[in-house]
Amino acid sequence: MRVGMLTGGGDCPGLNAVIRGAVRKGVSAYGHEFVGFRDGWRGPLENDTVPLGIPEVRGILPRGGTILGSSRTNPFAIDNGVERIKDNLAAQGCDALIAIGGEDTLGVATKLADLGVNVVGVPKTIDNDLSGTDFTFGFDTAVNIATEAIDRLHTTAESHHRVLVVEVMGRHAGWIALHAGLAGGANIILIPERPFDIEKVCAQVESRFATHYSPIIVVSEGAVPAEGGSMSLVSGEKDSFGHVRLGGIGDRLASEIEHRTGKEARAVVLGHVQRGGSPTAFDRWLATRFGLHAITAVHEGDFGKMMSLRGTEIARVPLSEGTAVLKLVRPDLYEEAEVLFG
Ligand code: F6P
């Protein structure tokens, strides 16, 4: 068999581990050949490929990013996009495609599978917001980076008797904020699933100072105040999947807190540092296993499936199960953490 691979959407530590796992097993166990498509769905749309074999995957396990490149290209937003992909897969002699991505990339894969393309999906996102799997790879790395930042911010906040607001990624789901906030001992965690009450936040800030400690607030980029509105929007700019570019809630929150409490407040935006660099051991373990199982699914002709972590086992679920609804933070998980606020 000849198998195409692509990585789409925001990059994420562990992508290269998936590619390596699939290629190594595909070549040695099944005798398959591979071709890499560059920059997500742009590759098969424009027939832009790179060689992909054992030499290309040597040494990439610990490397962040993706050797295939990525983009947020949406073939369903482009005239004849689907036909072009089908034609180019045929021109490359591809019998199957492994698509590694998040809600958008796998959303495209789901529709293509329905249209008869032999595709298998691997879930990735630092946001951990894909359904159908306990965890996505990249999340653990992002949480570790954010936790280390929070640890460091505690000491400088204490020295200056300041509020420090740490903005982490998470457009719709607060998984990074919740896990890193708990691990780093944050005093307040604000997530998109729970619009926040600024007066309550300020009261918690005051109570923290009253015990002679400086508060650390972890806020997801998609968090909004309870009054509603669009505090976190910096511009109306959208990508080809219609997502508005976020950012700015950390700064807005810091200035609001400073204004209301009179306490000095600063914001730190962790941004893309959460997505860069080498994956943690957990993410390498998970991503490698996803790659090994994805090529076996392809070999067995089990298309239209997504790899999934269930406990410690890798399972296969229908692609649509991963992309139909986002996996949001459950209220009880947030309430568990809330006891520690203030
Ligand atoms: O989808 C993952 C993610 O990290 C989101 O949390 C974030 O909103 C988005 O990517 C930003 O990505 P980019 O700046 O690459 O568009």
Side-chain angles (χ1 to χ4, degrees):
M1 276 176 111
R2 190 162 153 84
V3 184
M5 286 187 91
L6 63 83
T7 53
D11 72 338
C12 162
L15 287 167
N16 288 326
V18 179
I19 297 167
R20 170 182 171 271
V23 170
R24 290 277 301 270
K25 184 173 182 183
V27 171
S28 65
Y30 306 128
H32 294 329
E33 283 177 12
F34 290 84
V35 59
F37 287 100
R38 296 181 62 184
D39 302 341
W41 293 111
R42 193 189 68 72
L45 259 176
E46 297 177 9
N47 204 16
D48 190 356
T49 63
V50 286
L52 190 57
I54 299 292
E56 285 76 24
V57 301
R58 219 163 255 143
I60 67 171
L61 172 62
R63 208 186 307 160
T66 161
I67 60 166
L68 298 178
S70 192
S71 76
R72 294 189 188 274
T73 307
N74 180 0
F76 286 91
I78 292 169
D79 281 345
N80 300 322
V82 174
E83 289 68 30
R84 280 166 60 187
I85 285 181
K86 283 184 170 178
D87 289 350
N88 289 331
L89 286 174
Q92 288 294 333
C94 280
D95 306 292
L97 184 65
I98 296 177
I100 312 167
E103 56 165 321
D104 297 327
T105 304
L106 295 188
V108 170
T110 307
K111 290 192 213 164
L112 289 177
D114 290 343
L115 294 169
V117 177
N118 292 340
V119 58
V120 162
V122 175
K124 72 85 219 176
T125 164
I126 65 162
D127 295 342
N128 197 40
D129 58 359
L130 276 179
S131 297
T133 182
D134 291 352
F135 287 103
T136 51
F137 65 88
F139 173 64
D140 186 65
T141 305
V143 167
N144 274 281
I145 291 167
T147 302
E148 194 197 330
I150 295 165
D151 285 348
R152 290 175 185 278
L153 292 169
H154 273 293
T155 62
T156 174
E158 298 296 348
S159 305
H160 291 270
H161 318 293
R162 280 176 181 151
V163 182
L164 271 168
V165 178
V166 190
E167 182 184 310
V168 297
M169 280 187 169
R171 191 193 292 273
H172 306 294
W175 292 109
I176 297 176
L178 183 68
H179 282 230
L182 269 181
N187 310 111
I188 302 168
I189 301 169
L190 304 175
I191 62 173
E193 294 88 337
R194 273 289 172 116
F196 61 87
D197 175 351
I198 187 70
E199 284 176 21
K200 192 169 162 194
V201 169
C202 289
Q204 287 167 330
V205 163
E206 307 268 22
S207 97
R208 183 72 178 170
F209 275 118
T211 58
H212 306 291
Y213 284 103
S214 296
I216 303 285
I217 302 175
V218 178
V219 58
S220 305
E221 62 182 337
V224 288
E227 298 84 17
S230 53
M231 263 181 73
S232 67
L233 299 188
V234 162
S235 72
E237 208 179 319
K238 292 183 180 172
D239 66 20
S240 74
F241 287 93
H243 299 307
V244 172
R245 189 163 293 169
L246 298 179
I249 185 70
D251 279 326
R252 298 291 299 274
L253 198 57
S255 64
E256 196 69 32
I257 290 169
E258 191 166 291
H259 174 70
R260 288 175 185 244
T261 66
K263 305 287 185 195
E264 196 181 3
R266 296 284 167 85
V268 176
V269 181
L270 294 187
H272 294 84
V273 79
Q274 293 159 98
R275 283 201 338 220
S278 190
T280 59
F282 178 85
D283 281 337
R284 296 181 199 188
W285 168 85
L286 179 58
T288 298
R289 293 186 72 207
F290 275 166
L292 297 173
H293 284 257
I295 192 60
T296 299
V298 165
H299 184 71
E300 292 173 359
D302 194 8
F303 300 117
K305 296 289 169 56
M306 180 187 93
M307 299 308 106
S308 145
L309 180 69
R310 298 282 193 210
T312 56
E313 302 300 317
I314 306 295
R316 296 175 198 164
V317 298
L319 266 167
S320 55
E321 201 176 303
T323 55
V325 284
L326 279 181
K327 184 176 71 186
L328 301 178
V329 172
R330 295 195 320 260
D332 63 301
L333 289 177
Y334 187 75
E335 280 145 27
E336 182 184 83
E338 219 173 6
V339 174
L340 302 169
F341 291 3

